Amino acid sequence: MHPESAVTYPLVRRVASRTFRGLTRLALGVDLGDTQTGIKAMRRSVAAPVMAELRVTGFAFDLEMMCRLVEGGARVEEAPVVLDYEFTSRIGAGSMWEALRDLLTVAAHSRARRLAAARTARTAARTATRAPAPALSVVTPLAPVEDAAPAAPAAQIAAVLPLPVPRGRSEHDDDLLPQAANR
């Protein structure tokens, strides 16, 4: 697919290659270029962790590998190739169905990873924004003041710790309650 490549191959293979590239872009949401060129070079440090997690073993193992690399933030670049090869094999209906099946499998795995990552991110965001539960305080009864008339316990506490003025319930009150009380 690279403009500087020198490759001559039959029209059927060109059409199949472009169709697969379009389907790949549509199914995976990333433009991986020509995934089926068969020539790939990469750093072991980048590829090894991904290789251990590949699930597709057939036609599209390299497609899954490239998809995972791109999802992980790796940069994929295409380089020109020179291919002087006489194609003697034909693309049959069976191999086309296998390629489509593998592409859909890679897309399903990719979608599952994205959904799991989104769930993890939402959980982390909820946990990070959740206010900590208030600490439990132990209140001991106050001793009555000798010179004053005995007061009700609420009055004794109010003299030391002003209580909030009761107000109408608002949507923000639930944010102030401990999480267990909201359930």
Side-chain angles (χ1 to χ4, degrees), residues 75-160:
R75 185 183 64 207
V76 176
E77 291 186 28
E78 290 187 343
V81 295
V82 176
L83 181 62
D84 184 17
Y85 179 76
E86 189 169 321
F87 292 90
T88 56
S89 64
R90 299 202 181 274
I91 298 176
S95 62
M96 286 191 281
W97 283 115
E98 183 182 345
L100 182 59
R101 183 198 66 214
D102 286 349
L103 172 60
L104 293 176
T105 301
V106 170
H109 294 168
S110 176
R111 179 176 162 80
R113 283 190 304 276
R114 286 193 309 268
L115 290 173
R119 271 193 305 274
T120 302
R122 281 193 306 271
T123 301
R126 271 196 309 267
T127 304
T129 59
R130 190 177 291 164
L136 178 63
S137 299
V138 178
V139 178
T140 57
L142 297 174
V145 179
E146 293 179 16
D147 295 340
Q156 290 180 19
I157 293 172
V160 177

